[in-house]
Amino acid sequence: MVGIGMLLLNYLPLKIVDKFVSLLAKLRYSDLSSFGIHRPVEGPFLFKALTGKTPVIDRGTIKKIRSKKIQVFPDIVSINQNTVEFKNGKRRCFDAIVLATGYKSVAHKWLKDYKFLLTDDGKPKGKHPNHWKGEKGVYCVGLTGKGLPGIFKDSKAVTEDIYQLTLMAQK
């Protein structure tokens, strides 16, 4: 579904692609709220653009949730040793706790003199559509929070820029 959506984004507005992909997901997976999974109000591509969070890409997870091999829990309120308290007031003990918190760029924390290229929150300083181009031959690919479509567009732009620089150098 993500691949289809990314292809369609080349030809259709995001709003239409989101509605189409959301419909496909609803037909494929139906309502998962009884398992603790709630769809965002926004479509998957707008959700990624607004929050920087990538919607779940199913690789057999839904089947395991339905068969109760995987259990989805509510938000965590606190962890005390091996006991977890959840937002619904229930507590459970676990042998291991794995937190998958997502990805956030920290390039601005290790890149020396980053201020010519990145903001204090790690986003490119440049404005769209040239946000990918920094100074001194430095480029930003995939730091806008637009997911794979954004990475694809940034990569194409950087490749074209390098190609143009190469042509100019040959003259």
Side-chain angles (χ1 to χ4, degrees):
M1 283 183 243
V2 172
I4 292 169
M6 288 174 52
L7 178 67
L8 290 175
L9 283 171
N10 291 312
Y11 307 101
L12 298 170
L14 183 129
K15 191 174 187 178
I16 291 171
V17 174
D18 262 349
K19 285 186 185 230
F20 179 69
V21 172
S22 294
L23 176 64
L24 288 178
K26 191 172 186 177
L27 292 172
R28 172 72 172 93
Y29 301 113
S30 68
D31 182 16
L32 298 169
S33 60
S34 64
F35 296 99
I37 300 173
H38 304 280
R39 294 185 202 279
V41 175
E42 306 86 6
F45 293 100
L46 179 59
F47 181 76
K48 172 67 176 174
L50 293 174
T51 67
K53 296 178 182 178
T54 303
V56 173
I57 299 173
D58 181 52
R59 304 288 291 181
T61 305
I62 301 298
K63 185 177 179 181
K64 289 183 179 182
I65 291 171
R66 285 194 170 125
S67 70
K68 301 197 185 323
K69 289 182 180 177
I70 294 176
Q71 187 175 355
V72 178
F73 290 93
D75 291 347
I76 294 172
V77 174
S78 66
I79 300 173
N80 186 2
Q81 294 181 357
N82 69 336
T83 303
V84 178
E85 182 180 349
F86 298 98
K87 194 173 184 178
N88 64 3
K90 294 184 180 180
R91 294 174 188 221
R92 294 275 309 264
C93 292
F94 295 93
D95 295 326
I97 299 169
V98 178
L99 301 175
T101 59
Y103 170 81
K104 184 175 181 178
S105 173
V106 293
H108 63 290
K109 293 184 179 181
W110 56 260
L111 183 63
K112 185 178 179 183
D113 298 328
Y114 73 90
K115 290 198 181 269
F116 78 91
L117 182 67
L118 302 171
T119 63
D120 287 332
D121 65 350
K123 301 282 186 199
K125 265 194 173 174
K127 299 296 178 205
H128 186 77
N130 294 319
H131 58 276
W132 51 269
K133 189 169 185 170
E135 298 172 18
K136 305 174 187 175
V138 178
Y139 297 98
C140 295
V141 174
L143 298 179
T144 60
K146 303 225 184 282
L148 294 175
I151 293 169
F152 177 74
K153 288 178 183 176
D154 291 353
S155 299
K156 279 179 65 175
V158 168
T159 303
E160 180 61 28
D161 192 64
I162 292 171
Y163 176 71
Q164 292 300 324
L165 289 172
T166 305
L167 288 179
M168 287 178 14
Q170 292 175 353
K171 291 183 181 181

